[in-house]
Amino acid sequence: MAKPSILGVVTKVVDPQELYQVISQASSQNPAEVHASSKRVEELLDYFGTFDGLHEIAATRSVPLPVRKQSIIQFKNKALNHWRSRKLLSDEQRVRIRSRCMTFFDEEDDTIAECNEVIVAKIARQDYPMNWPSLLADIMDVIRTNLEILCGSPNSDPRSTLALRRGLALLNSILKEFSGVKLLAGVNTMVNIIDQLHEVMFAYYSKLSSMISALVPLALSDQRTADNLIVAHFIYKCLVKMALWLWPKLTTQPESVFAKLEPWFLQLFESSTGQLKILSELRINLVLALRASGLSDRLTLLSIDRLTRHVRVFGKFFRRLQQLKPDKFVQLPTGNQIVLYYWDKVVQATNGPPELIQDAPTAVFPVRFLLQAMVLFKENLSKWTPFRKGGPKTETSIDCLWELWPCADENRLALSQEFVEDAVRLLVTRFIPLNLADLEGWMSDPEEWVNLEDKENDQWEYELRPCGERVLMTLSSQYKDYVTPLLETTFKQIIAQPTVDSASVIQKEALYCAIGRCAIHLREVIPFSQWIQHNLLAEARETNQYYPIIKRRIAWLIGKWISDMCSPANDPNVWEILIHLLRDRGSGTDSVVRLTAATALRECIDTVDFDIDVFVPYLPTAVIELVKLMGEADTIEVKQRLAKSLNVVIERAGPRIAPHAQMISEGIPQLWTAAGEEWLFKAQLLVVVTSLVSAMKEQSSLNGLIVPLVQDGLSPGVAINLDEDALNLWVAALRNSSSLSYAGGPGLVDLVPLAVSLLSDNLDLLGKIVSIVESCLFVDAPAVLQSFARPLMNAFVKALTGQAILTNQRDILVCLQFLTQLAPATLWGQAMHFAGVFSHIVNLLNNDESSSTLLTECIYLLARIALADRQMFLQLVSATAVTMSLPEAKIWEAVLDHWWRQFDHMSEPRHRKLAALGIASLVSTGRPEVLDRLPNEIFNLWTDVFFEVKESKSLADNEDASPLTLHWDLDQVPQSYYADSENTAEFDRRKMLLDNDPVRTTQLTNYVAAALQEAERTCGGTHIFNQYINKTDPTLLKQLQNELQGE
């Protein structure tokens, strides 16, 4: 059965019984049935009525639960993207689906209920309020009715509570969906929703919060308490969604339609700060009471978990407000008080027994709560300053905070010196020191511990220790007049004290960490060189069993201090310490120390002030140890980090790495093979080899390593991950090589077939491959063409006639120009014809839609061919005429027409001179098609170039040494000519080609005069030649004669 749609397209109509049967099979526990039904399910999703049928199955409670789940998941995944489709849904079906969505309030299965939330929110985004005007009212009716039951009944009604939870979750999803709408219609709808909900939801929460605030320990085991908490939590989440959507608009559009909601927003924020204090204190007291009594039944734990989550949502609300508008957040009434309250809880937590702080909802001070507190405090610190704008330093009590929103800007909060110093001491003594869990992680899995430490910069908001470090850094920046003297004094006290037991070692490590984090502000007060010489050198060599903790931090500290530019990397003691820590395998050290030293080494070397002369004595050991560590490491992340360090060493050492190149290269194959499909590490290995090749320049003898790496890196299935790095290695090898062959094994010439294959078949890499072919030609064009001229030309033609973009086509034509300069015509002329290169150029010239850029490059190429071998040019024209079944005159016509037309597109003098030289070479052949153009186009072209390109020969005592002075070429060629080959052998090769280019070495007037004389002889003598000349305008002819005679 088929149903014609309004558009006339016939759509099959689903059979409800078949749909039910197929969905039942898809939800079966039998893999064979699932596999058999999957294809049919996909087919039925394109039938009319399928979406309505799926939704009906999901809403039918008598259907088995797995079938209902499968149906609603399929509907959620597929129907929402086609909700407006008239081919798959009718208006009647959409009405039925919307109506059915309102029947899931008492749904017991969470998966089905959560899918329904997504479905309602997505449909509402498209249909509310126009096609679903009753949506909000229906949901609010369910919430109001069941909330009255919850608050009015002394006993808990599970079905009513379930409906209330589902209704609030549904409302929360709708608010979340509309919060993301940017279009004006969606914004207006959101305003309308908030208008309807903000007061009533605030009232609902106020009612429940008063009940929660009166909780006592015994009430925690009551189901009603757990219900009140989860309902209050959902209501508050809805309030938060509305407030967060309003917040940026209130701050940026104060006079807009949102202004009327500002009082409500401020009321919500102020009440939230007050409620957070109440709930936080209540929770702390309840948990302490439960710990004392030992009560831990299921309902009690559930209630505590829900209360903990609810407290945490306040912190999320404050943090998001702070993130959205940090400048305005500090101006909110009671905003600063709540942040300081949070900090007070941090202080309280650290002053109590350590067991009070745990990453668990039943902890007195859950880690997540403390993290929220510290992050809020840190972010506000940047807005609290001890300086008034334009005024003197002030000290303000922490109780002197804003009272009124309008005057907030005039009363900036500044923390007292005592407060700041206490905060610093707390951070350095309680949060920054390594704890037992850190040390256990260090010992059980050193490499993973190092990996996690390396990720602290990204994860600092989720761990107490890195978060504490960031708070300290912010305090040091904002209150440096307080923090710097305190850390300086502490440093002087601790540095002189003996460090022999674990406690003193851990505390010293924390101080070193603090110094490293605040290095920029301490560099003027801490004598770093003396500290290294008198203390750190000795500590780095200490064999105490606890000293790996200190040594690891010393390496980190040195790397941090120097990478932050607090000291230059030119002190031998720096390298003495780092190299010792890198290679030491005796007592008092471990792999964490060595891995940290490797990272610190990279940070110190990769600085502007790095002095290779100071580092050279340590270079052999650094290379040996880094290669050894790479071989010993178990995890790919650590291997990759070590490879990065080795790469930086190679880059900064430059040619001085040559004596160690063999040792580095010998370790690469084993690492490469062991890496398997760890593409990031393999890419890093390619980078290391590339740096090695670039550093050694022409000294490199790594072809035996380079060739297989490039071949493997560009092989099918691997290239998608490694092509860029493999190509970079290939380019570096070619540019720094003096030969394509290698007597001791594989040579770069063995990669030419791969280049030819990629050139013809890989459009994505075409630009890079063309540059590789170009580099091959610069190394040894004759060798390449002797073996690969035909396949190379075929590949060029395939790329030019395929889908290559204009830039790549131009690059190919430029490459062909170099080819004609770098090898004799006998090596490329025949291949150019048989491959169809010349034919393609003729086709381009005859195509009215060809780009002027391409046409100009074609003329440059033709000029190069004519300049290289005029007889080869004539042969190519003749052979192409036969191939294309055209008279030669037609080909000459196309070539000469565009030679004149494209002349105006040539902006650089060297190119205009090239065109003049090329056409002069063709004139010398005496071809009548060319000589016919002499009186007008060619003479005009020459006189234009004569006028622009002034040249002279400076006669010296030795005529052979007399250079051609190019008055027109005072500037260098465009940088693009060198193709980023600076500091390589290829740059010199390109420079040599440029210096010996006939365009630069041949005087145009002499060349033209000789060409005219040759033409006169070739065409049959003066009588015949004058027949062409006499057609010239006398004025033009006189001007030309003057130029040729040097007048």
Side-chain angles (χ1 to χ4, degrees):
M1 180 179 178
K3 173 185 174 70
S5 74
I6 296 174
L7 298 177
V9 180
V10 176
T11 305
K12 294 180 180 179
V13 178
V14 74
D15 178 354
Q17 292 183 345
E18 183 194 6
L19 177 64
Y20 182 81
Q21 181 180 0
V22 171
I23 292 297
S24 297
Q25 290 176 341
S27 58
S28 167
Q29 297 298 312
N30 186 340
E33 287 189 6
V34 174
H35 180 74
S37 64
S38 59
K39 184 177 179 181
R40 186 56 181 162
V41 169
E42 290 297 322
E43 293 172 353
L44 291 178
L45 289 170
D46 292 327
Y47 282 32
F48 179 84
T50 296
F51 294 148
D52 184 40
L54 286 172
H55 201 260
E56 185 174 7
I57 293 171
T60 304
R61 304 298 171 91
S62 59
V63 171
L65 184 60
V67 179
R68 294 180 62 215
K69 283 185 178 181
Q70 182 67 221
S71 297
I72 201 162
I73 289 171
Q74 291 286 351
F75 183 92
K76 174 181 73 72
N77 292 343
K78 303 294 183 180
L80 299 177
N81 293 329
H82 302 282
W83 180 248
R84 296 283 178 85
S85 170
R86 289 181 290 177
K87 173 186 169 185
L88 301 175
L89 282 165
S90 67
D91 289 339
E92 294 81 6
Q93 290 173 343
R94 278 186 275 267
V95 170
R96 289 201 296 271
I97 291 170
R98 288 193 291 260
S99 177
R100 268 191 232 108
C101 286
M102 295 293 102
T103 65
F104 288 91
F105 286 109
D106 58 349
E107 175 59 55
E108 294 184 357
D109 184 76
D110 287 340
T111 300
I112 294 176
E114 288 165 5
C115 286
N116 186 59
E117 291 166 17
V118 175
I119 291 166
V120 172
K122 297 293 183 185
I123 294 175
R125 182 168 184 157
Q126 300 180 63
D127 287 5
Y128 180 82
M130 298 301 294
N131 297 322
W132 202 355
S134 64
L135 170 64
L136 218 55
D138 292 344
I139 295 174
M140 291 308 294
D141 282 345
V142 171
I143 292 172
R144 183 181 61 257
T145 302
N146 291 286
L147 187 61
E148 288 174 356
I149 294 173
L150 179 69
C151 296
S153 172
N155 300 317
S156 178
D157 182 348
R159 294 189 66 81
S160 173
T161 304
L162 178 64
L164 180 56
R165 284 175 51 200
R166 300 293 189 219
L168 289 167
L170 200 57
L171 182 61
N172 187 53
S173 293
I174 293 170
L175 289 169
K176 182 179 180 180
E177 186 68 30
F178 275 101
S179 294
V181 179
K182 304 298 181 187
L183 296 177
L184 182 60
V187 172
N188 291 336
T189 302
M190 187 64 174
V191 171
N192 177 266
I193 291 173
I194 295 176
D195 276 340
Q196 297 181 57
L197 298 181
H198 71 281
E199 291 184 348
V200 64
M201 295 298 285
F202 187 84
Y204 289 165
Y205 183 74
S206 299
K207 188 172 185 179
L208 280 172
S209 65
S210 62
M211 299 167 63
I212 294 170
S213 302
L215 277 178
V216 294
L218 290 176
L220 292 173
S221 59
D222 188 349
Q223 179 65 50
R224 182 185 176 87
T225 299
D227 292 343
N228 285 348
L229 285 167
I230 194 64
V231 170
H233 184 67
F234 274 120
I235 293 174
Y236 188 73
K237 286 181 71 173
C238 293
L239 290 169
V240 166
K241 292 284 190 308
M242 293 186 280
L244 289 176
W245 185 83
L246 273 175
W247 171 235
K249 297 167 180 61
L250 291 176
T251 56
T252 56
Q253 306 171 46
E255 304 302 323
S256 63
V257 294
F258 309 109
K260 63 182 179 181
L261 293 168
E262 183 178 343
W264 172 81
F265 173 84
L266 293 175
Q267 181 187 15
L268 174 66
F269 180 79
E270 290 191 69
S271 62
S272 294
T273 59
Q275 182 68 5
L276 179 278
K277 293 179 183 178
I278 293 170
L279 291 179
S280 174
E281 296 300 328
L282 173 67
R283 188 195 161 283
I284 290 170
N285 292 330
L286 287 173
V287 171
L288 288 172
L290 289 175
R291 288 193 169 204
S293 64
L295 293 175
S296 60
D297 60 277
R298 184 190 66 83
L299 275 177
T300 298
L301 294 177
L302 178 63
S303 296
I304 287 295
D305 179 62
R306 289 179 173 177
L307 179 57
T308 302
R309 289 169 55 198
H310 189 48
V311 169
R312 198 160 62 241
V313 83
F314 284 86
K316 291 181 179 179
F317 176 41
F318 301 145
R319 174 63 178 141
R320 189 61 188 145
L321 290 173
Q322 190 184 56
Q323 286 176 320
L324 289 170
K325 294 290 176 181
D327 290 335
K328 298 295 182 182
F329 180 77
V330 296
Q331 299 177 15
L332 284 169
T334 70
N336 290 303
Q337 289 100 317
I338 198 61
V339 171
L340 288 168
Y341 171 79
Y342 269 112
W343 181 253
D344 185 58
K345 295 298 103 181
V346 172
V347 175
Q348 184 180 343
T350 53
N351 287 335
E355 60 268 19
L356 296 184
I357 303 174
Q358 295 175 7
D359 190 10
T362 54
V364 178
F365 296 103
V367 167
R368 295 185 190 182
F369 174 80
L370 295 179
L371 283 168
Q372 283 184 337
M374 294 171 74
V375 172
L376 284 166
F377 180 71
K378 173 194 173 297
E379 294 303 315
N380 258 32
L381 276 174
S382 61
K383 307 302 173 188
W384 296 341
T385 171
F387 298 96
R388 286 184 183 273
K389 206 169 187 179
K393 185 191 302 185
T394 62
E395 282 197 13
T396 309
S397 163
I398 62 171
D399 297 321
C400 182
L401 301 165
W402 285 295
E403 297 296 336
L404 299 172
W405 167 284
C407 62
D409 244 353
E410 301 172 6
N411 300 284
R412 283 200 173 274
L413 170 70
L415 302 176
S416 67
Q417 181 172 352
E418 180 184 1
F419 182 95
V420 171
E421 291 180 349
D422 287 345
V424 170
R425 290 190 188 97
L426 181 144
L427 291 167
V428 174
T429 58
R430 297 301 303 270
F431 282 104
I432 293 179
L434 296 170
N435 56 38
L436 183 61
D438 292 321
L439 297 175
E440 288 174 352
W442 179 330
M443 298 302 295
S444 63
D445 193 345
E447 290 190 16
E448 182 59 23
W449 194 85
V450 172
N451 290 334
L452 292 174
E453 286 292 297
D454 193 54
K455 294 174 183 174
E456 278 186 358
N457 287 334
D458 303 323
Q459 304 292 326
W460 68 267
E461 289 192 47
Y462 308 103
E463 296 287 343
L464 283 176
R465 183 161 52 86
C467 186
E469 292 173 12
R470 284 359 178 247
V471 175
L472 175 65
M473 291 165 65
T474 308
L475 278 169
S476 175
S477 175
Q478 295 300 115
Y479 292 86
K480 53 181 175 290
D481 289 346
Y482 302 159
V483 177
T484 300
L486 176 63
L487 288 178
E488 180 188 7
T489 303
T490 308
F491 168 75
K492 291 176 179 177
Q493 292 171 350
I494 296 288
I495 206 70
Q497 294 177 2
T499 311
V500 291
D501 58 357
S502 61
S504 59
V505 164
I506 287 173
Q507 196 54 62
K508 178 176 278 191
E509 188 272 347
L511 177 64
Y512 285 7
C513 175
I515 291 170
R517 290 295 182 193
C518 305
I520 293 175
H521 304 293
L522 295 172
R523 59 186 173 185
E524 301 298 332
V525 298
I526 290 184
F528 189 66
S529 295
Q530 292 92 315
W531 182 23
I532 286 180
Q533 184 176 359
H534 298 136
N535 300 93
L536 298 186
L537 268 171
E539 290 178 348
R541 297 180 182 280
E542 177 62 56
T543 57
N544 185 303
Q545 61 174 329
Y546 301 117
Y547 259 65
I549 296 172
I550 291 281
K551 291 180 180 181
R552 173 248 169 194
R553 185 57 75 182
I554 288 172
W556 173 90
L557 171 66
I558 292 174
K560 188 74 178 161
W561 193 278
I562 291 177
S563 64
D564 282 349
M565 310 302 289
C566 298
S567 290
N570 57 15
D571 185 346
N573 286 329
V574 166
W575 307 124
E576 191 72 38
I577 290 175
L578 291 181
I579 295 301
H580 172 75
L581 295 177
L582 188 66
R583 71 182 173 193
D584 184 21
R585 291 165 186 267
S587 58
T589 189
D590 63 11
S591 60
V592 171
V593 176
R594 291 188 287 274
L595 295 176
T596 307
T599 301
L601 190 71
R602 182 188 76 236
E603 292 172 338
C604 293
I605 292 174
D606 197 16
T607 56
V608 176
D609 296 324
F610 173 71
D611 187 344
I612 182 62
D613 293 325
V614 178
F615 183 69
V616 160
Y618 306 95
L619 179 60
T621 307
V623 171
I624 290 169
E625 294 302 328
L626 287 173
V627 172
K628 186 189 293 185
L629 283 172
M630 267 200 290
E632 294 173 348
D634 294 323
T635 64
I636 291 296
E637 291 88 346
V638 167
K639 288 178 183 287
Q640 190 169 345
R641 192 177 299 112
L642 291 166
K644 286 180 180 178
S645 295
L646 179 60
N647 185 61
V648 170
V649 170
I650 294 169
E651 285 182 336
R652 301 308 299 270
R656 303 191 196 203
I657 200 67
H660 318 292
Q662 184 177 353
M663 186 192 63
I664 296 172
S665 62
E666 286 174 352
I668 298 293
Q670 183 178 354
L671 291 168
W672 181 272
T673 304
E677 295 186 356
E678 296 290 347
W679 306 120
L680 290 176
F681 179 52
K682 281 193 164 183
Q684 189 60 51
L685 289 177
L686 289 172
V687 171
V688 168
V689 179
T690 303
S691 297
L692 193 59
V693 171
S694 300
M696 295 177 65
K697 301 191 182 300
E698 293 181 84
Q699 303 177 55
S700 176
S701 56
L702 302 174
N703 290 348
L705 175 64
I706 294 166
V707 172
L709 283 180
V710 171
Q711 289 172 334
D712 195 12
L714 293 172
S715 60
V718 177
I720 191 171
N721 300 290
L722 299 178
D723 54 6
E724 184 177 351
D725 296 293
L727 290 172
N728 288 338
L729 172 58
W730 196 352
V731 169
L734 287 167
R735 288 183 169 175
N736 290 284
S737 179
S738 57
S739 172
L740 292 177
S741 58
Y742 180 59
L748 295 175
V749 72
D750 298 326
L751 292 173
V752 175
L754 176 59
V756 171
S757 172
L758 293 171
L759 184 64
S760 60
D761 298 329
N762 197 318
L763 278 176
D764 295 333
L765 303 178
L766 186 56
K768 197 85 172 189
I769 293 299
V770 172
S771 70
I772 284 172
V773 172
E774 204 171 276
S775 293
C776 287
L777 295 173
F778 270 103
V779 177
D780 195 346
V784 173
L785 293 174
Q786 282 169 5
S787 302
F788 307 104
R790 284 286 292 277
L792 179 59
M793 291 295 179
N794 287 332
F796 276 141
V797 171
K798 188 173 181 181
L800 285 168
T801 56
Q803 301 296 315
I805 60 174
L806 179 64
T807 302
N808 291 157
Q809 292 185 56
R810 180 189 172 279
D811 291 342
I812 291 172
L813 292 172
V814 170
C815 185
L816 284 166
Q817 293 167 39
F818 284 129
L819 182 148
T820 62
Q821 295 176 262
L822 293 163
T826 53
L827 291 177
W828 48 259
Q830 190 180 51
M832 190 176 283
H833 166 64
F834 284 114
V837 173
F838 204 87
S839 301
H840 178 69
I841 291 172
V842 172
N843 286 330
L844 282 175
L845 297 176
N846 285 322
N847 187 348
D848 294 336
E849 295 183 1
S850 294
S851 159
S852 62
T853 301
L854 279 188
L855 292 174
T856 306
E857 292 296 341
C858 286
I859 299 304
Y860 297 156
L861 176 56
L862 293 174
R864 285 294 180 189
I865 295 172
L867 207 52
D869 191 328
R870 69 194 71 171
Q871 292 305 317
M872 181 61 73
F873 192 102
L874 297 181
Q875 291 176 36
L876 285 168
V877 171
S878 177
T880 302
V882 174
T883 303
M884 300 180 71
S885 301
L886 290 172
E888 286 187 38
K890 284 290 185 185
I891 294 178
W892 281 109
E893 181 183 356
V895 169
L896 296 170
D897 280 350
H898 279 284
W899 211 298
W900 175 245
R901 289 175 191 168
Q902 301 310 315
F903 183 68
D904 286 339
H905 294 132
M906 302 175 188
S907 58
E908 292 185 49
R910 65 191 179 105
H911 287 147
R912 292 167 78 84
K913 182 179 176 183
L914 172 62
L917 288 169
I919 203 68
S921 181
L922 296 181
V923 166
S924 70
T925 64
R927 290 288 302 199
E929 297 90 348
V930 181
L931 296 182
D932 279 336
R933 307 281 182 130
L934 265 178
N936 295 307
E937 295 171 10
I938 296 176
F939 281 170
N940 275 307
L941 186 153
W942 281 340
T943 52
D944 280 355
V945 178
F946 287 151
F947 180 75
E948 297 169 11
V949 177
K950 298 297 183 182
E951 301 171 333
S952 65
K953 283 207 171 184
S954 305
L955 295 178
D957 295 336
N958 182 0
E959 289 190 4
D960 294 336
S962 301
L964 181 66
T965 302
L966 307 177
H967 303 290
W968 53 269
D969 192 31
L970 298 178
D971 296 325
Q972 295 292 322
V973 293
Q975 205 63 27
S976 59
Y977 171 83
Y978 294 105
D980 298 323
S981 62
E982 290 79 356
N983 301 314
T984 68
E986 183 175 311
F987 181 87
D988 299 330
R989 293 192 281 263
R990 286 177 180 266
K991 183 75 166 58
M992 183 180 297
L993 184 70
L994 180 67
D995 292 341
N996 295 313
D997 187 351
V999 174
R1000 298 174 63 83
T1001 60
T1002 303
Q1003 188 166 2
L1004 180 59
T1005 52
N1006 292 348
Y1007 191 86
V1008 169
L1012 289 171
Q1013 293 171 6
E1014 179 73 16
E1016 183 176 342
R1017 289 192 298 271
T1018 308
C1019 73
T1022 305
H1023 175 69
I1024 296 175
F1025 187 66
N1026 283 340
Q1027 293 178 10
Y1028 298 106
I1029 299 295
N1030 291 338
K1031 297 176 185 178
T1032 309
D1033 178 79
T1035 306
L1036 176 61
L1037 186 60
K1038 179 64 175 173
Q1039 184 180 355
L1040 183 66
Q1041 289 172 340
N1042 290 340
E1043 290 288 350
L1044 293 177
Q1045 293 168 6
E1047 297 181 5

